[in-house]
Amino acid sequence: MARRKLVVGNWKMHGLGSDFVQVEEIESAAAGHPQVDVGLCVPSTLIERASRAVPGLPIGAQDVHPADKGAHTGCLSTAMLADAGASMVIVGHSERREAQHETDEEVRAKAEAALGAGLLTIVCVGESLDVREAGDAVPTVEGQLDASIPRDADATRLAVAYEPIWAIGTGRIPTVEDIGQMHSALRQRLCVAYGDSGEAIRILYGGSVKGSNAAEIFAVEDVDGALVGGASLKAADFIPIIEAAALKA
Ligand code: 13P
């Protein structure tokens, strides 16, 4: 099935108002490649400013609380993100699973809240190096996916990001065979969970994606785009990844 490529930048805890020139350059590059969906998940402090400054570029958040409102100091609800101008959100990033001890159940609750609010929702999964070296990567990540994805999905608004933890920020990536094996396993799990609409859900690869390796990653079956950390901070690094996706669109 033909799925539109989706390339999303995750700025993590990077970015100040002074970085807006990057956001603007990314927006104009994205506009030049309308066959690719491009988005930028910026720190919460920048969501409103970014969505006003670049209305043509979907802006997202990097986390959300599952509750509508309440006594949750420091947290933001789906309605708050949407109110600030966000149209997408990442949930279950491994940095939050590790540092904030987020469980699959919490990630699923966040994903259900975000999808319910109409946000494009990117659910992250991925194995540690120990798990990969033990040969358990596929069953481990399948289990994570099964437990983290929403019970009912709107396939047009749900995406999954496979991000091996050992590939994040390290410059190391799995072989294209390993990426293909994982993405095809995840596709099968999505079809078990949602039937035919599992075919429409985009599965992104994340972990040390750069302009130099994007084309070979996008050529892998069932790779429908990328979730990009470090190389999304500068337009000059991010734009070649958008261009590589456009060539495969
Ligand atoms: P890097 O692209 O910096 O490896 O980060 C990947 C990531 O964690 C995106 O969410």
Side-chain angles (χ1 to χ4, degrees), residues 77-95:
S77 69
T78 55
M80 290 169 178
L81 297 181
D83 190 45
S87 58
M88 61 172 71
V89 65
I90 297 168
V91 296
H93 193 283
S94 60
E95 287 154 13

Side-chain angles (χ1 to χ4, degrees), residues 8-10 12 90 93-95 124 161 163 167-172 206-210 227-232:
V8 177
N10 173 11
K12 308 189 180 183
I90 297 168
H93 193 283
S94 60
E95 287 154 13
C124 300
E163 299 203 309
I168 295 176
T170 60
R172 296 178 60 192
S208 295
V209 178
K210 303 191 184 331
L227 186 56
V228 184
S232 69

Side-chain angles (χ1 to χ4, degrees), residues 78-129:
T78 55
M80 290 169 178
L81 297 181
D83 190 45
S87 58
M88 61 172 71
V89 65
I90 297 168
V91 296
H93 193 283
S94 60
E95 287 154 13
R96 295 199 58 84
R97 288 179 185 264
E98 284 189 349
Q100 273 74 37
H101 311 293
E102 286 188 9
T103 63
D104 291 338
E105 293 68 31
E106 286 163 338
V107 173
R108 166 175 277 165
K110 290 176 179 206
E112 289 182 345
L115 268 190
L119 298 172
L120 193 158
T121 303
I122 302 172
V123 178
C124 300
V125 290
E127 83 283 358
S128 64
L129 189 56

Side-chain angles (χ1 to χ4, degrees), residues 31 57 63 71 86-87 90 96 121 139-141 149 159 168 174 179 196 210 225 242 248:
L57 181 69
D63 183 44
S87 58
I90 297 168
R96 295 199 58 84
T121 303
T140 300
V141 176
I149 52 177
I168 295 176
I179 295 175
D196 286 348
K210 303 191 184 331
I242 298 170
K248 296 280 185 252

Side-chain angles (χ1 to χ4, degrees), residues 2-175:
R3 290 172 292 266
R4 280 172 66 82
K5 290 266 189 292
L6 173 63
V7 177
V8 177
N10 173 11
W11 272 21
K12 308 189 180 183
M13 200 171 75
H14 298 280
L16 299 170
S18 50
D19 296 306
F20 263 77
V21 59
Q22 305 301 330
V23 180
E24 284 158 5
E25 283 181 28
I26 290 167
E27 183 205 34
S28 48
H33 298 288
Q35 68 275 48
V36 179
D37 293 333
V38 179
L40 215 46
C41 292
V42 294
S44 305
T45 46
L46 292 184
I47 291 173
E48 177 148 23
R49 262 186 289 174
S51 56
R52 281 186 204 278
V54 291
L57 181 69
I59 296 295
Q62 301 167 11
D63 183 44
V64 68
H65 194 283
D68 288 345
K69 59 174 111 160
H72 303 291
T73 302
C75 299
L76 298 171
S77 69
T78 55
M80 290 169 178
L81 297 181
D83 190 45
S87 58
M88 61 172 71
V89 65
I90 297 168
V91 296
H93 193 283
S94 60
E95 287 154 13
R96 295 199 58 84
R97 288 179 185 264
E98 284 189 349
Q100 273 74 37
H101 311 293
E102 286 188 9
T103 63
D104 291 338
E105 293 68 31
E106 286 163 338
V107 173
R108 166 175 277 165
K110 290 176 179 206
E112 289 182 345
L115 268 190
L119 298 172
L120 193 158
T121 303
I122 302 172
V123 178
C124 300
V125 290
E127 83 283 358
S128 64
L129 189 56
D130 286 353
V131 167
R132 168 62 61 180
E133 286 178 342
D136 293 333
V138 171
T140 300
V141 176
E142 284 177 337
Q144 228 182 4
L145 182 85
D146 289 349
S148 303
I149 52 177
R151 288 178 190 83
D152 296 308
D154 169 352
T156 58
R157 290 230 165 84
L158 178 65
V160 169
Y162 166 55
E163 299 203 309
I165 297 168
W166 51 274
I168 295 176
T170 60
R172 296 178 60 192
I173 61 166
T175 63

